[in-house]
Amino acid sequence: MKPPATEREQIGTSAIDLFASGMGAFILIALVFMVLFAATPRQEEPPQPAPVVCPVPQPCPETPLCPVCPEPTICPDVPVCPVCPRIQDCPVCPTIEPTACPELPPCPVVTPVVCPKQPDCPVCADCPEPPEPTPLPQHPQQACPKPEERTTLLPETDLVFVLDTTGSMRGEIESLKRELHIVVQVLERMMPSIGIGVVTFNDRLQRPTTRHHPLRRLTNSESAMRDINRFLRSISTTDARGTNQDLPEAVFSALEVAVNASFRKDVGDRIVIVITDAYAYEDEEDPSFRIARAFAQVPGQRISTVHVRDDPDSGRYLEKLAEAGGGEFVADRGSILANVLMGIL
């Protein structure tokens, strides 16, 4: 027989029952919530828009060019037999006498070749033949006109300046330095070519008594023009050493140098132009006239004079010198160019 339970045991059993009841209720509630949660529809996240990919731009197709129409195929009249190109190899017609291939009858095995129809050109169905070029008109051949020969007023000329370089001639020396290129340009328009030489003189008691630049052709020669300009720039009225107390100058000595200048043989005129304000020494006047007359005896040669100052004695001497030399006596016009033109025309 089981003994009655004590009060303490009764209390323990009650606690166990209470715990078991609470655990069951919890499990029941958990099952209910799980069912409800499973039945509730899930809210899905909105789909993300797909990235837009821009299409690659395609190049525009080029306009097709017109193809060239092919030449029409020429159909052969007699097809060539591919089976029996030679009579000894022909399996179908062994009884035929061997002859040349072009004269054999058509092989019965060969299918006649049908030439395909030439397709029409899709772009230019009718290809016109290029037109024949129009021949250029034939012009009668014309002879080229001959260049006109240059007409000149004067023949080719050699010119020698005989220039007084004593102190009273400073202005004329500077004028010649400035105007020589103008003189040359003007004379080149009047004659085919011009050659120029220069002889300078001082008093016969001074040194150097004379100086000279050899005669050279200046036309189309820049180097010759530079040389003569260099010589003119070297001329000065103070270069000579010695005294010059008298009026006469060494005209005769300068004439001797001038008439023996290296004149060109093929020129038409050879002219000496004396430019001074003085006259020759008394004992040299007649010799100077004789030199002038001898020089003028050669055709195309002459001596002209330019009187710079208005001095009667020098004027008379220079006029006689020009007469003996067959040239012109020119009273100073104030310009080297004017004086030269008067002396050679």
Side-chain angles (χ1 to χ4, degrees), residues 50-323:
V52 179
V53 179
C54 296
V56 179
Q58 298 295 327
C60 296
E62 297 182 357
T63 303
L65 300 177
C66 174
V68 179
C69 292
E71 294 290 335
T73 305
I74 300 175
C75 298
D77 295 335
V78 179
V80 179
C81 177
V83 179
C84 48
R86 299 176 61 184
I87 190 61
Q88 57 268 25
D89 299 331
C90 180
V92 181
C93 10
T95 58
I96 301 176
E97 292 296 329
T99 56
C101 284
E103 297 180 2
L104 292 176
C107 184
V109 181
V110 180
T111 303
V113 178
V114 179
C115 288
K117 182 181 179 181
Q118 182 178 349
D120 294 332
C121 183
V123 178
C124 47
D126 297 324
C127 291
E129 295 183 359
E132 295 183 0
T134 304
L136 297 176
Q138 297 293 330
H139 295 285
Q141 187 176 3
Q142 297 180 354
C144 295
K146 295 182 179 180
E148 296 182 1
E149 296 182 359
R150 178 184 172 189
T151 57
T152 56
L153 299 176
L154 301 173
E156 290 184 294
T157 302
D158 280 345
L159 183 63
V160 178
F161 291 104
V162 178
L163 181 64
D164 185 351
T165 56
T166 57
S168 60
M169 294 289 293
R170 186 188 307 271
E172 283 67 28
I173 295 172
E174 296 302 320
S175 178
L176 182 60
K177 292 178 182 180
R178 291 192 307 267
E179 298 182 26
L180 179 63
H181 68 286
I182 300 176
V183 172
V184 173
Q185 290 177 1
V186 172
L187 294 180
E188 284 180 337
R189 291 179 175 272
M190 302 173 64
M191 57 189 63
S193 70
I194 178 69
I196 291 181
V198 180
V199 179
T200 65
F201 65 91
N202 296 299
D203 190 86
R204 66 181 178 180
L205 300 178
Q206 293 179 316
R207 296 293 181 272
T209 304
T210 62
R211 293 177 60 199
H212 79 281
H213 183 277
L215 190 149
R216 293 182 60 183
R217 173 190 169 111
L218 300 186
T219 302
N220 300 326
S221 177
E222 295 182 2
S223 61
M225 194 69 194
R226 286 195 300 268
D227 290 344
I228 195 170
N229 280 324
R230 189 181 299 113
F231 176 80
L232 290 176
R233 287 194 297 269
S234 69
I235 295 175
S236 173
T237 58
T238 60
D239 287 343
R241 298 184 303 274
T243 60
N244 183 19
Q245 302 297 330
D246 51 2
L247 294 178
E249 307 296 358
V251 181
F252 172 72
S253 298
L255 281 175
E256 285 186 312
V257 177
V259 297
N260 291 301
S262 54
F263 293 99
R264 293 178 291 170
K265 296 180 180 180
D266 55 346
V267 297
D269 286 349
R270 303 176 183 88
I271 304 174
V272 175
I273 298 182
V274 180
I275 305 173
T276 183
D277 61 352
Y279 46 89
Y281 285 93
E282 184 177 359
D283 60 329
E284 294 180 345
E285 286 188 0
D286 289 338
S288 63
F289 297 150
R290 288 196 296 270
I291 287 179
R293 281 191 291 268
F295 183 76
Q297 287 180 357
V298 179
Q301 296 186 169
R302 59 187 180 274
I303 296 177
S304 297
T305 59
V306 176
H307 185 209
V308 175
R309 298 285 183 269
D310 188 13
D311 176 71
D313 293 334
S314 59
R316 283 192 295 270
Y317 168 75
L318 293 176
E319 190 170 2
K320 288 183 179 180
L321 183 62
E323 182 181 359

